Protein backbone atom coordinates (compact mmCIF):
# COMPACT_ATOMS: atom_id res chain seq x y z
CA UNK A 1 0.00 0.00 0.00
CA UNK A 2 1.19 3.51 -0.81
CA UNK A 3 2.03 5.03 2.58
CA UNK A 4 3.64 8.25 3.80
CA UNK A 5 4.21 8.77 7.55
CA UNK A 6 1.53 6.22 8.35
CA UNK A 7 -0.99 7.63 5.86
CA UNK A 8 -2.58 5.63 3.04
CA UNK A 9 -3.35 6.99 -0.41
CA UNK A 10 -5.50 5.98 -3.36
CA UNK A 11 -3.75 4.52 -6.43
CA UNK A 12 -4.71 7.33 -8.81
CA UNK A 13 -1.69 7.49 -11.09
CA UNK A 14 -2.94 4.46 -12.99
CA UNK A 15 -6.28 6.27 -13.35
CA UNK A 16 -4.56 9.36 -14.80
CA UNK A 17 -2.66 7.18 -17.26
CA UNK A 18 -5.93 5.49 -18.30
CA UNK A 19 -7.60 8.85 -18.93
CA UNK A 20 -4.70 10.06 -21.07
CA UNK A 21 -4.62 6.85 -23.13
CA UNK A 22 -8.39 6.85 -23.53
CA UNK A 23 -8.56 10.39 -24.94
CA UNK A 24 -5.72 9.61 -27.35
CA UNK A 25 -7.59 6.53 -28.59
CA UNK A 26 -10.76 8.60 -28.93
CA UNK A 27 -9.03 10.87 -31.45
CA UNK A 28 -7.34 8.03 -33.36
CA UNK A 29 -10.55 5.99 -33.54
CA UNK A 30 -12.67 8.94 -34.60
CA UNK A 31 -10.17 10.03 -37.26
CA UNK A 32 -10.50 6.55 -38.79
CA UNK A 33 -14.29 6.87 -38.57
CA UNK A 34 -14.34 10.25 -40.33
CA UNK A 35 -11.97 8.92 -43.01
CA UNK A 36 -14.19 5.95 -43.87
CA UNK A 37 -17.21 8.26 -43.89
CA UNK A 38 -15.31 10.31 -46.47
CA UNK A 39 -14.56 7.13 -48.46
CA UNK A 40 -18.29 6.51 -48.84
CA UNK A 41 -18.54 9.95 -50.45
CA UNK A 42 -15.29 9.78 -52.46
CA UNK A 43 -14.23 6.10 -52.73
CA UNK A 44 -10.98 6.87 -54.56
CA UNK A 45 -9.33 8.36 -51.46
CA UNK A 46 -8.14 4.87 -50.55
CA UNK A 47 -5.54 5.52 -53.33
CA UNK A 48 -5.66 1.85 -54.27
CA UNK A 49 -3.99 0.89 -50.98
CA UNK A 50 -5.44 -2.18 -49.29
CA UNK A 51 -4.66 -0.91 -45.80
CA UNK A 52 -6.67 2.24 -46.54
CA UNK A 53 -9.68 0.31 -47.86
CA UNK A 54 -13.05 0.70 -46.17
CA UNK A 55 -13.09 -2.94 -45.04
CA UNK A 56 -9.87 -2.61 -43.07
CA UNK A 57 -10.32 0.92 -41.74
CA UNK A 58 -13.87 0.22 -40.61
CA UNK A 59 -12.72 -2.55 -38.26
CA UNK A 60 -9.85 -0.35 -37.12
CA UNK A 61 -12.39 2.37 -36.30
CA UNK A 62 -14.69 0.11 -34.27
CA UNK A 63 -11.84 -1.56 -32.39
CA UNK A 64 -10.16 1.77 -31.70
CA UNK A 65 -13.21 3.48 -30.24
CA UNK A 66 -14.68 0.45 -28.42
CA UNK A 67 -11.58 -1.23 -27.05
CA UNK A 68 -9.11 1.65 -27.09
CA UNK A 69 -11.27 4.60 -26.03
CA UNK A 70 -14.14 2.79 -24.31
CA UNK A 71 -12.51 -0.06 -22.41
CA UNK A 72 -9.54 2.04 -21.29
CA UNK A 73 -12.02 4.60 -19.91
CA UNK A 74 -13.93 1.84 -18.14
CA UNK A 75 -10.75 0.47 -16.57
CA UNK A 76 -9.72 3.90 -15.32
CA UNK A 77 -13.12 4.89 -13.94
CA UNK A 78 -13.62 1.46 -12.36
CA UNK A 79 -10.28 1.74 -10.59
CA UNK A 80 -11.10 5.29 -9.45
CA UNK A 81 -14.61 4.62 -8.14
CA UNK A 82 -14.05 1.18 -6.56
CA UNK A 83 -11.35 2.63 -4.31
CA UNK A 84 -13.58 5.42 -3.09
CA UNK A 85 -16.66 3.29 -2.56
CA UNK A 86 -14.56 0.75 -0.62
CA UNK A 87 -12.18 3.20 1.13
CA UNK A 88 -9.11 1.16 0.27
CA UNK A 89 -6.27 1.35 -2.19
CA UNK A 90 -6.44 -0.90 -5.26
CA UNK A 91 -5.69 -4.54 -4.65
CA UNK A 92 -2.29 -5.24 -6.26
CA UNK A 93 -1.63 -1.83 -7.89
CA UNK A 94 1.19 -3.28 -10.00
CA UNK A 95 -1.27 -5.69 -11.60
CA UNK A 96 -3.57 -2.73 -12.31
CA UNK A 97 -0.67 -1.01 -14.11
CA UNK A 98 0.05 -4.20 -16.04
CA UNK A 99 -3.59 -4.44 -17.16
CA UNK A 100 -3.81 -0.86 -18.38
CA UNK A 101 -0.40 -0.79 -20.11
CA UNK A 102 -0.76 -4.26 -21.64
CA UNK A 103 -4.22 -3.31 -22.89
CA UNK A 104 -2.78 -0.35 -24.81
CA UNK A 105 -0.21 -2.57 -26.52
CA UNK A 106 -2.87 -5.19 -27.33
CA UNK A 107 -5.18 -2.63 -28.93
CA UNK A 108 -2.24 -1.15 -30.86
CA UNK A 109 -1.13 -4.56 -32.15
CA UNK A 110 -4.73 -5.40 -32.91
CA UNK A 111 -5.08 -2.27 -35.03
CA UNK A 112 -1.90 -3.07 -36.94
CA UNK A 113 -3.08 -6.64 -37.53
CA UNK A 114 -6.42 -5.40 -38.88
CA UNK A 115 -4.68 -3.03 -41.30
CA UNK A 116 -2.55 -5.99 -42.42
CA UNK A 117 -5.71 -7.98 -43.20
CA UNK A 118 -5.75 -10.35 -40.22
CA UNK A 119 -9.44 -10.72 -39.51
CA UNK A 120 -11.45 -13.47 -37.82
CA UNK A 121 -14.61 -12.26 -39.56
CA UNK A 122 -16.72 -11.71 -36.44
CA UNK A 123 -18.31 -8.39 -35.53
CA UNK A 124 -16.51 -6.74 -32.58
CA UNK A 125 -14.33 -9.87 -32.38
CA UNK A 126 -12.18 -9.49 -35.48
CA UNK A 127 -8.82 -9.97 -33.78
CA UNK A 128 -7.07 -13.28 -34.36
CA UNK A 129 -6.32 -15.96 -31.78
CA UNK A 130 -2.95 -14.73 -30.38
CA UNK A 131 -4.53 -11.39 -29.47
CA UNK A 132 -7.66 -13.13 -28.17
CA UNK A 133 -5.47 -14.99 -25.68
CA UNK A 134 -3.77 -11.73 -24.65
CA UNK A 135 -7.18 -10.10 -24.13
CA UNK A 136 -8.30 -12.99 -21.90
CA UNK A 137 -5.17 -12.77 -19.74
CA UNK A 138 -5.46 -9.01 -19.30
CA UNK A 139 -9.17 -9.24 -18.55
CA UNK A 140 -8.56 -11.84 -15.83
CA UNK A 141 -6.02 -9.45 -14.30
CA UNK A 142 -8.60 -6.64 -14.45
CA UNK A 143 -11.04 -8.86 -12.57
CA UNK A 144 -8.48 -9.80 -9.93
CA UNK A 145 -7.71 -6.14 -9.20
CA UNK A 146 -11.36 -5.09 -9.14
CA UNK A 147 -12.81 -7.91 -7.08
CA UNK A 148 -9.73 -8.06 -4.86
CA UNK A 149 -10.35 -4.40 -3.98
CA UNK A 150 -13.97 -5.18 -3.13
CA UNK A 151 -12.93 -8.13 -0.94
CA UNK A 152 -10.67 -5.95 1.20
CA UNK A 153 -13.18 -3.06 1.41
CA UNK A 154 -13.69 -1.20 4.69
CA UNK A 155 -17.33 -0.40 3.88
CA UNK A 156 -19.72 -3.34 4.04
CA UNK A 157 -22.32 -2.31 1.40
CA UNK A 158 -21.26 -2.77 -2.22
CA UNK A 159 -22.30 0.36 -4.05
CA UNK A 160 -24.42 -0.12 -7.21
CA UNK A 161 -21.75 1.16 -9.61
CA UNK A 162 -19.58 -1.77 -8.53
CA UNK A 163 -22.39 -4.19 -9.39
CA UNK A 164 -22.38 -2.91 -12.97
CA UNK A 165 -18.58 -2.90 -13.28
CA UNK A 166 -18.51 -6.41 -11.82
CA UNK A 167 -21.11 -7.65 -14.31
CA UNK A 168 -19.08 -6.07 -17.11
CA UNK A 169 -15.96 -8.02 -16.08
CA UNK A 170 -17.66 -11.39 -15.53
CA UNK A 171 -19.99 -11.44 -18.54
CA UNK A 172 -17.49 -10.04 -21.06
CA UNK A 173 -14.96 -12.68 -19.96
CA UNK A 174 -17.53 -15.43 -20.56
CA UNK A 175 -18.60 -14.00 -23.92
CA UNK A 176 -15.05 -13.51 -25.15
CA UNK A 177 -13.84 -17.00 -24.26
CA UNK A 178 -16.81 -18.79 -25.83
CA UNK A 179 -17.09 -16.70 -28.99
CA UNK A 180 -13.33 -16.72 -29.60
CA UNK A 181 -13.01 -20.50 -29.34
CA UNK A 182 -11.20 -21.40 -32.55
CA UNK A 183 -8.80 -23.81 -34.22
CA UNK A 184 -5.56 -22.00 -35.16
CA UNK A 185 -4.19 -22.76 -38.62
CA UNK A 186 -1.39 -20.20 -38.77
CA UNK A 187 -0.33 -17.28 -36.61
CA UNK A 188 -2.67 -15.03 -38.59
CA UNK A 189 -5.57 -17.40 -39.32
CA UNK A 190 -7.97 -19.56 -37.35
CA UNK A 191 -11.40 -21.11 -37.84
CA UNK A 192 -14.27 -20.94 -35.40
CA UNK A 193 -15.21 -24.08 -33.46
CA UNK A 194 -18.81 -23.36 -34.42
CA UNK A 195 -20.30 -23.59 -37.89
CA UNK A 196 -23.19 -22.17 -39.86
CA UNK A 197 -26.28 -21.05 -37.98
CA UNK A 198 -24.75 -22.10 -34.65
CA UNK A 199 -21.79 -19.82 -35.28
CA UNK A 200 -24.16 -16.93 -36.09
CA UNK A 201 -26.14 -17.49 -32.87
CA UNK A 202 -22.97 -17.62 -30.75
CA UNK A 203 -21.58 -14.53 -32.52
CA UNK A 204 -24.68 -12.43 -31.81
CA UNK A 205 -24.98 -13.80 -28.31
CA UNK A 206 -21.51 -12.28 -27.98
CA UNK A 207 -22.04 -9.23 -30.19
CA UNK A 208 -25.24 -7.95 -28.64
CA UNK A 209 -24.13 -8.66 -25.08
CA UNK A 210 -20.83 -6.92 -25.75
CA UNK A 211 -23.02 -3.92 -26.50
CA UNK A 212 -25.12 -4.74 -23.44
CA UNK A 213 -22.57 -5.40 -20.74
CA UNK A 214 -19.70 -3.30 -22.06
CA UNK A 215 -21.22 -0.34 -23.88
CA UNK A 216 -24.34 -0.23 -21.70
CA UNK A 217 -23.69 -1.95 -18.36
CA UNK A 218 -20.12 -0.77 -17.94
CA UNK A 219 -21.05 2.83 -18.66
CA UNK A 220 -24.03 2.57 -16.30
CA UNK A 221 -21.44 1.82 -13.62
CA UNK A 222 -19.80 5.09 -14.65
CA UNK A 223 -23.16 6.89 -14.52
CA UNK A 224 -24.13 5.63 -11.07
CA UNK A 225 -20.91 6.87 -9.51
CA UNK A 226 -20.14 10.11 -11.34
CA UNK A 227 -23.67 11.52 -11.81
CA UNK A 228 -24.42 11.68 -8.04
CA UNK A 229 -20.92 13.01 -7.39
CA UNK A 230 -21.23 15.78 -9.94
CA UNK A 231 -24.84 16.62 -9.03
CA UNK A 232 -23.88 16.49 -5.34
CA UNK A 233 -27.00 14.48 -4.60
CA UNK A 234 -27.55 10.82 -3.66
CA UNK A 235 -29.22 8.44 -6.11
CA UNK A 236 -32.96 9.16 -6.10
CA UNK A 237 -33.87 5.53 -5.39
CA UNK A 238 -31.10 3.14 -4.48
CA UNK A 239 -33.57 0.25 -4.33
CA UNK A 240 -34.72 0.98 -7.88
CA UNK A 241 -31.10 0.94 -9.05
CA UNK A 242 -30.56 -2.56 -7.64
CA UNK A 243 -33.85 -3.87 -9.09
CA UNK A 244 -32.94 -2.35 -12.46
CA UNK A 245 -29.50 -3.98 -12.31
CA UNK A 246 -30.85 -7.51 -11.84
CA UNK A 247 -33.64 -7.03 -14.39
CA UNK A 248 -31.09 -5.70 -16.87
CA UNK A 249 -28.70 -8.61 -16.24
CA UNK A 250 -31.29 -11.35 -16.62
CA UNK A 251 -33.01 -9.80 -19.66
CA UNK A 252 -30.12 -8.60 -21.79
CA UNK A 253 -28.36 -11.95 -22.09
CA UNK A 254 -31.25 -13.33 -24.22
CA UNK A 255 -31.69 -10.44 -26.66
CA UNK A 256 -28.95 -11.27 -29.22
CA UNK A 257 -31.07 -13.28 -31.71
CA UNK A 258 -32.94 -10.15 -32.78
CA UNK A 259 -29.90 -9.53 -35.02
CA UNK A 260 -30.83 -12.68 -36.95
CA UNK A 261 -34.47 -12.10 -37.90
CA UNK A 262 -35.44 -13.81 -41.19
CA UNK A 263 -32.26 -15.89 -41.12
CA UNK A 264 -31.65 -19.65 -40.97
CA UNK A 265 -32.13 -20.02 -37.22
CA UNK A 266 -35.22 -21.41 -35.44
CA UNK A 267 -38.18 -19.03 -35.46
CA UNK A 268 -38.67 -19.43 -31.70
CA UNK A 269 -35.12 -18.22 -31.11
CA UNK A 270 -35.83 -15.10 -33.17
CA UNK A 271 -39.07 -14.51 -31.25
CA UNK A 272 -37.31 -15.00 -27.91
CA UNK A 273 -34.76 -12.35 -28.88
CA UNK A 274 -37.55 -9.95 -29.82
CA UNK A 275 -39.56 -10.53 -26.62
CA UNK A 276 -36.55 -10.15 -24.33
CA UNK A 277 -35.54 -6.99 -26.18
CA UNK A 278 -38.96 -5.48 -25.48
CA UNK A 279 -38.74 -6.52 -21.82
CA UNK A 280 -35.43 -4.63 -21.65
CA UNK A 281 -37.35 -1.38 -21.94
CA UNK A 282 -38.34 -1.69 -18.26
CA UNK A 283 -34.87 -1.84 -16.59
CA UNK A 284 -33.39 0.57 -19.13
CA UNK A 285 -35.94 3.27 -18.54
CA UNK A 286 -36.02 2.59 -14.81
CA UNK A 287 -32.35 3.57 -14.77
CA UNK A 288 -33.05 6.63 -16.89
CA UNK A 289 -35.90 7.77 -14.62
CA UNK A 290 -33.71 7.19 -11.56
CA UNK A 291 -30.93 9.31 -13.04
CA UNK A 292 -33.29 12.09 -14.18
CA UNK A 293 -34.83 12.29 -10.72
CA UNK A 294 -31.37 12.36 -9.18
CA UNK A 295 -30.30 15.35 -11.23
CA UNK A 296 -33.68 17.13 -11.08
CA UNK A 297 -32.71 18.86 -7.85
CA UNK A 298 -29.51 20.21 -9.36
CA UNK A 299 -31.04 22.31 -12.14
CA UNK A 300 -29.09 25.45 -11.21
CA UNK A 301 -25.78 23.58 -11.33
CA UNK A 302 -26.77 22.07 -14.67
CA UNK A 303 -26.84 25.56 -16.22
CA UNK A 304 -23.17 26.22 -15.51
CA UNK A 305 -21.41 22.87 -14.99
CA UNK A 306 -20.02 21.57 -18.30
CA UNK A 307 -19.32 18.11 -16.87
CA UNK A 308 -22.89 17.69 -15.65
CA UNK A 309 -24.25 18.95 -18.99
CA UNK A 310 -22.36 16.23 -20.85
CA UNK A 311 -23.59 13.53 -18.47
CA UNK A 312 -27.23 14.64 -18.63
CA UNK A 313 -27.12 14.92 -22.43
CA UNK A 314 -25.66 11.41 -22.53
CA UNK A 315 -28.57 10.28 -20.37
CA UNK A 316 -31.04 11.67 -22.93
CA UNK A 317 -29.35 9.72 -25.73
CA UNK A 318 -29.30 6.63 -23.50
CA UNK A 319 -33.08 6.87 -23.22
CA UNK A 320 -33.40 7.31 -26.99
CA UNK A 321 -31.10 4.39 -27.85
CA UNK A 322 -32.70 2.02 -25.33
CA UNK A 323 -36.13 2.80 -26.77
CA UNK A 324 -35.06 2.54 -30.39
CA UNK A 325 -33.24 -0.80 -29.96
CA UNK A 326 -36.28 -2.76 -28.68
CA UNK A 327 -38.45 -1.10 -31.32
CA UNK A 328 -36.06 -2.22 -34.08
CA UNK A 329 -36.19 -5.79 -32.72
CA UNK A 330 -39.88 -6.06 -33.63
CA UNK A 331 -40.00 -8.16 -36.81
CA UNK A 332 -42.30 -5.84 -38.75
CA UNK A 333 -39.92 -2.92 -38.05
CA UNK A 334 -36.79 -4.98 -38.47
CA UNK A 335 -37.73 -5.94 -42.02
CA UNK A 336 -37.35 -2.25 -42.91
CA UNK A 337 -34.36 -1.40 -40.71
CA UNK A 338 -32.09 -4.45 -41.02
CA UNK A 339 -29.03 -4.17 -43.28
CA UNK A 340 -29.68 -0.43 -43.70
CA UNK A 341 -28.05 2.73 -42.39
CA UNK A 342 -30.86 3.00 -39.84
CA UNK A 343 -28.88 0.45 -37.82
CA UNK A 344 -25.76 2.59 -38.23
CA UNK A 345 -27.70 5.59 -36.93
CA UNK A 346 -28.98 3.59 -33.96
CA UNK A 347 -25.49 2.36 -33.08
CA UNK A 348 -24.06 5.87 -33.21
CA UNK A 349 -26.88 7.43 -31.20
CA UNK A 350 -25.62 5.08 -28.51
CA UNK A 351 -21.89 5.26 -29.26
CA UNK A 352 -21.62 9.03 -29.74
CA UNK A 353 -24.62 10.21 -27.75
CA UNK A 354 -24.33 7.83 -24.79
CA UNK A 355 -20.87 6.28 -24.52
CA UNK A 356 -18.72 9.15 -25.75
CA UNK A 357 -20.66 11.95 -24.07
CA UNK A 358 -20.80 10.33 -20.63
CA UNK A 359 -17.09 9.55 -20.89
CA UNK A 360 -16.34 13.15 -21.84
CA UNK A 361 -18.42 14.41 -18.92
CA UNK A 362 -16.70 12.02 -16.54
CA UNK A 363 -13.26 13.09 -17.77
CA UNK A 364 -14.19 16.76 -17.29
CA UNK A 365 -14.98 15.78 -13.69
CA UNK A 366 -11.85 13.67 -13.20
CA UNK A 367 -9.01 15.62 -14.79
CA UNK A 368 -9.15 18.70 -12.52
CA UNK A 369 -9.40 16.43 -9.46
CA UNK A 370 -6.65 14.05 -10.47
CA UNK A 371 -4.24 16.93 -11.05
CA UNK A 372 -5.67 19.26 -8.37
CA UNK A 373 -6.04 22.23 -10.69
CA UNK A 374 -8.93 24.05 -12.39
CA UNK A 375 -9.76 23.12 -15.95
CA UNK A 376 -7.66 25.22 -18.34
CA UNK A 377 -10.66 26.63 -20.21
CA UNK A 378 -14.36 26.32 -19.43
CA UNK A 379 -15.07 28.14 -22.68
CA UNK A 380 -13.40 25.36 -24.70
CA UNK A 381 -15.45 22.82 -22.73
CA UNK A 382 -18.69 24.65 -23.56
CA UNK A 383 -17.75 24.85 -27.26
CA UNK A 384 -16.99 21.13 -27.14
CA UNK A 385 -20.46 20.47 -25.69
CA UNK A 386 -22.24 22.23 -28.55
CA UNK A 387 -20.02 20.68 -31.21
CA UNK A 388 -20.66 17.23 -29.72
CA UNK A 389 -24.43 17.80 -29.69
CA UNK A 390 -24.48 19.18 -33.25
CA UNK A 391 -22.23 16.42 -34.57
CA UNK A 392 -24.26 13.65 -32.97
CA UNK A 393 -27.58 15.03 -34.22
CA UNK A 394 -26.28 15.51 -37.78
CA UNK A 395 -24.85 12.01 -37.82
CA UNK A 396 -27.90 10.26 -36.39
CA UNK A 397 -30.52 12.16 -38.38
CA UNK A 398 -28.66 11.60 -41.67
CA UNK A 399 -28.44 7.87 -41.01
CA UNK A 400 -32.07 7.63 -39.99
CA UNK A 401 -33.06 9.30 -43.25
CA UNK A 402 -30.76 7.09 -45.30
CA UNK A 403 -31.82 3.90 -43.52
CA UNK A 404 -35.57 4.42 -43.78
CA UNK A 405 -35.18 5.35 -47.45
CA UNK A 406 -33.12 2.22 -48.15
CA UNK A 407 -35.50 -0.08 -46.32
CA UNK A 408 -38.61 1.21 -48.08
CA UNK A 409 -37.00 1.29 -51.52
CA UNK A 410 -35.67 -2.26 -51.19
CA UNK A 411 -39.16 -3.47 -50.29
CA UNK A 412 -40.78 -1.68 -53.22
CA UNK A 413 -42.12 -4.06 -55.92
CA UNK A 414 -43.70 -3.43 -59.30
CA UNK A 415 -46.93 -5.01 -60.56
CA UNK A 416 -45.07 -8.21 -61.49
CA UNK A 417 -43.49 -8.60 -58.05
CA UNK A 418 -40.04 -7.56 -59.27
CA UNK A 419 -37.88 -5.13 -57.29
CA UNK A 420 -38.62 -1.60 -58.45
CA UNK A 421 -35.14 -0.31 -57.74
CA UNK A 422 -31.72 -1.90 -58.06
CA UNK A 423 -29.19 -1.95 -55.23
CA UNK A 424 -26.77 0.23 -57.18
CA UNK A 425 -29.41 2.85 -57.95
CA UNK A 426 -30.52 3.05 -54.32
CA UNK A 427 -26.98 3.40 -53.00
CA UNK A 428 -26.18 6.07 -55.58
CA UNK A 429 -29.04 8.14 -54.14
CA UNK A 430 -27.52 8.03 -50.65
CA UNK A 431 -24.72 10.53 -51.33
CA UNK A 432 -26.46 13.57 -49.74
CA UNK A 433 -27.04 11.59 -46.55
CA UNK A 434 -23.42 10.43 -46.52
CA UNK A 435 -22.16 13.99 -46.94
CA UNK A 436 -24.25 15.02 -43.92
CA UNK A 437 -22.84 12.09 -41.94
CA UNK A 438 -19.30 13.16 -42.85
CA UNK A 439 -20.01 16.71 -41.66
CA UNK A 440 -21.55 15.39 -38.44
CA UNK A 441 -18.62 13.07 -37.74
CA UNK A 442 -16.07 15.81 -38.48
CA UNK A 443 -17.95 18.21 -36.18
CA UNK A 444 -17.94 15.68 -33.35
CA UNK A 445 -14.23 15.01 -33.93
CA UNK A 446 -13.46 18.75 -33.83
CA UNK A 447 -15.07 18.97 -30.40
CA UNK A 448 -13.07 15.98 -29.15
CA UNK A 449 -9.83 17.60 -30.36
CA UNK A 450 -10.69 20.74 -28.38
CA UNK A 451 -11.22 18.53 -25.31
CA UNK A 452 -7.82 16.89 -25.71
CA UNK A 453 -6.12 20.28 -26.07
CA UNK A 454 -7.97 21.51 -22.98
CA UNK A 455 -6.95 18.47 -20.95
CA UNK A 456 -3.30 18.54 -21.90
CA UNK A 457 -3.05 22.25 -21.10
CA UNK A 458 -4.70 21.49 -17.75
CA UNK A 459 -2.24 18.67 -17.02
CA UNK A 460 0.86 20.48 -18.29
CA UNK A 461 3.67 20.45 -15.75
CA UNK A 462 1.56 18.76 -13.08
CA UNK A 463 1.62 15.34 -11.46
CA UNK A 464 -1.28 13.25 -10.22
CA UNK A 465 -2.30 14.42 -6.77
CA UNK A 466 -2.10 11.92 -3.93
CA UNK A 467 -5.46 11.65 -2.17
CA UNK A 468 -5.49 10.29 1.37
CA UNK A 469 -7.86 7.41 2.12
CA UNK A 470 -10.36 8.58 4.77
CA UNK A 471 -10.07 6.98 8.22
CA UNK A 472 -12.87 4.60 9.36
CA UNK A 473 -14.76 7.34 11.23
CA UNK A 474 -15.46 9.12 7.91
CA UNK A 475 -16.82 6.10 6.05
CA UNK A 476 -20.47 6.98 6.48
CA UNK A 477 -19.92 10.30 4.68
CA UNK A 478 -18.43 8.60 1.62
CA UNK A 479 -21.21 6.00 1.44
CA UNK A 480 -23.84 8.73 1.52
CA UNK A 481 -22.19 10.81 -1.18
CA UNK A 482 -21.20 7.85 -3.37
Amino acid sequence: MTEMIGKSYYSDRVVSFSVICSVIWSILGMVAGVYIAAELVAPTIDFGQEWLSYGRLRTLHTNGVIFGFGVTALMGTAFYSVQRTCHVELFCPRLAWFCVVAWQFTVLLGGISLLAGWNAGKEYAELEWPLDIAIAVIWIGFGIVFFGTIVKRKIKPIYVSNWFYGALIIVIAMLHVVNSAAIPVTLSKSYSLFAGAQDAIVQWWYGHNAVGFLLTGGFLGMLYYFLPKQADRPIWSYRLSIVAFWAFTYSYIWAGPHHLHYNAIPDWVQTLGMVMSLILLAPSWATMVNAVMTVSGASEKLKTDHSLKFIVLALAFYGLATFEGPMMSIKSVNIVSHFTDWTVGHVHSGALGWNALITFGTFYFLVPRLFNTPLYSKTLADIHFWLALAGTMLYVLSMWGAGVSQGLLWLSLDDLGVLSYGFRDIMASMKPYYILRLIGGATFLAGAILMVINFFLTMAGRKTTQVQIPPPMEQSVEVKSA
Side-chain angles (χ1 to χ4, degrees):
M1 178 178 288
T2 306
E3 296 186 358
M4 186 178 296
I5 319 178
K7 296 180 180 179
S8 303
Y9 296 85
Y10 292 126
S11 304
D12 281 344
R13 274 189 258 183
V14 68
V15 178
S16 301
F17 181 75
S18 299
V19 171
I20 293 169
C21 291
S22 181
V23 297
I24 291 172
W25 281 117
S26 73
I27 300 302
L28 295 176
M30 290 178 199
V31 166
V34 170
Y35 195 86
I36 59 175
E39 285 189 329
L40 291 175
V41 176
T44 57
I45 63 172
D46 66 359
F47 304 107
Q49 301 296 312
E50 292 181 351
W51 66 277
L52 282 177
S53 66
Y54 181 91
R56 296 193 185 180
L57 285 180
R58 190 264 179 182
T59 52
L60 178 72
H61 164 61
T62 55
N63 279 261
V65 294
I66 295 173
F67 300 116
F69 171 46
V71 172
T72 304
L74 288 173
M75 283 184 174
T77 56
F79 289 155
Y80 181 89
S81 60
V82 74
Q83 295 181 89
R84 285 156 174 80
T85 53
C86 295
H87 277 200
V88 292
E89 187 195 23
L90 285 177
F91 175 78
C92 197
R94 290 184 179 180
L95 181 57
W97 272 104
F98 166 79
C99 291
V100 174
V101 173
W103 188 261
Q104 309 315 308
F105 281 106
T106 301
V107 176
L108 178 61
L109 291 174
I112 294 171
S113 72
L114 291 171
L115 290 178
W118 295 18
N119 196 311
K122 291 192 170 190
E123 186 79 9
Y124 310 132
E126 294 92 353
L127 301 184
E128 274 292 354
W129 66 272
L131 293 168
D132 283 338
I133 293 173
I135 289 170
V137 171
I138 297 167
W139 205 258
I140 291 169
F142 181 22
I144 291 171
V145 174
F146 184 83
F147 290 111
T149 305
I150 289 178
V151 167
K152 71 172 190 174
R153 69 190 185 278
K154 294 179 182 177
I155 297 175
K156 186 176 180 180
I158 300 176
Y159 185 62
V160 65
S161 63
N162 293 329
W163 287 89
F164 279 100
Y165 281 123
L168 155 74
I169 293 168
I170 293 170
V171 177
I172 293 299
M174 173 183 68
L175 297 170
H176 173 72
V177 169
V178 175
N179 189 52
S180 299
I183 301 172
V185 179
T186 65
L187 187 65
S188 62
K189 186 60 185 172
S190 64
Y191 292 96
S192 174
L193 284 180
F194 311 101
Q198 289 78 17
D199 191 37
I201 293 173
V202 171
Q203 158 57 28
W204 283 110
W205 170 75
Y206 163 88
H208 193 74
N209 286 300
V211 172
F213 287 87
L214 197 158
L215 298 178
T216 306
F219 287 88
L220 286 176
M222 193 184 293
L223 174 78
Y224 271 115
Y225 182 82
F226 290 98
L227 175 65
K229 280 291 187 184
Q230 192 64 0
D232 197 24
R233 294 175 58 84
I235 284 291
W236 179 65
S237 172
Y238 193 79
R239 179 173 296 178
L240 179 60
S241 69
I242 297 297
V243 171
F245 167 79
W246 287 110
F248 170 89
T249 301
Y250 281 110
S251 303
Y252 219 113
I253 204 77
W254 301 96
H258 75 224
H259 287 267
L260 299 170
H261 283 334
Y262 307 106
N263 277 276
I265 66 171
D267 188 65
W268 70 268
V269 176
Q270 300 176 40
T271 302
L272 175 66
M274 179 183 71
V275 170
M276 298 309 291
S277 299
L278 293 171
I279 290 173
L280 266 173
L281 273 170
S284 298
W285 277 51
T287 295
M288 188 184 68
V289 168
N290 208 358
V292 168
M293 295 303 293
T294 299
V295 80
S296 62
S299 56
E300 289 303 315
K301 189 175 184 182
L302 183 59
K303 295 177 183 178
T304 58
D305 193 307
H306 44 272
S307 174
L308 193 59
K309 286 194 287 188
F310 271 100
I311 294 175
V312 172
L313 180 60
L315 185 63
F317 277 103
Y318 171 77
L320 170 65
T322 53
F323 170 79
E324 186 182 27
M327 180 185 70
M328 293 171 70
S329 76
I330 300 171
K331 289 186 176 181
S332 56
V333 178
N334 189 267
I335 199 170
V336 176
S337 69
H338 206 40
F339 299 123
T340 73
D341 285 320
W342 185 352
T343 302
V344 178
H346 166 62
V347 169
H348 284 79
S349 70
L352 298 178
W354 161 239
N355 300 124
L357 293 185
I358 192 172
T359 305
F360 294 160
T362 297
F363 286 174
Y364 277 117
F365 173 88
L366 276 178
V367 169
R369 286 163 177 78
L370 289 170
F371 293 90
N372 194 28
T373 183
L375 187 69
Y376 176 78
S377 172
K378 291 185 177 181
T379 301
L380 285 179
D382 288 332
I383 295 173
H384 177 202
F385 174 82
W386 292 110
L387 288 175
L389 175 58
T392 303
M393 292 304 298
L394 273 175
Y395 194 111
V396 173
L397 290 173
S398 65
M399 290 298 94
W400 281 346
V404 173
S405 298
Q406 290 164 1
L408 294 177
L409 290 172
W410 285 332
L411 292 172
S412 178
L413 305 176
D414 62 20
D415 293 338
L416 299 176
V418 178
L419 291 175
S420 299
Y421 306 98
F423 178 84
R424 183 173 180 176
D425 296 330
I426 294 172
M427 295 311 298
S429 69
M430 293 295 111
K431 190 169 184 178
Y433 296 111
Y434 289 172
I435 292 173
L436 280 176
R437 170 174 54 185
L438 175 59
I439 295 170
T443 302
F444 194 92
L445 172 62
I449 291 172
L450 289 182
M451 176 193 70
V452 173
I453 294 170
N454 206 355
F455 284 167
F456 279 92
L457 290 174
T458 302
M459 300 174 189
R462 306 188 71 90
K463 295 182 179 180
T464 304
T465 303
Q466 284 191 308
V467 179
Q468 185 181 348
I469 299 174
M473 68 181 65
E474 298 180 22
Q475 289 179 10
S476 59
V477 176
E478 178 67 26
V479 172
K480 184 178 179 180
S481 64

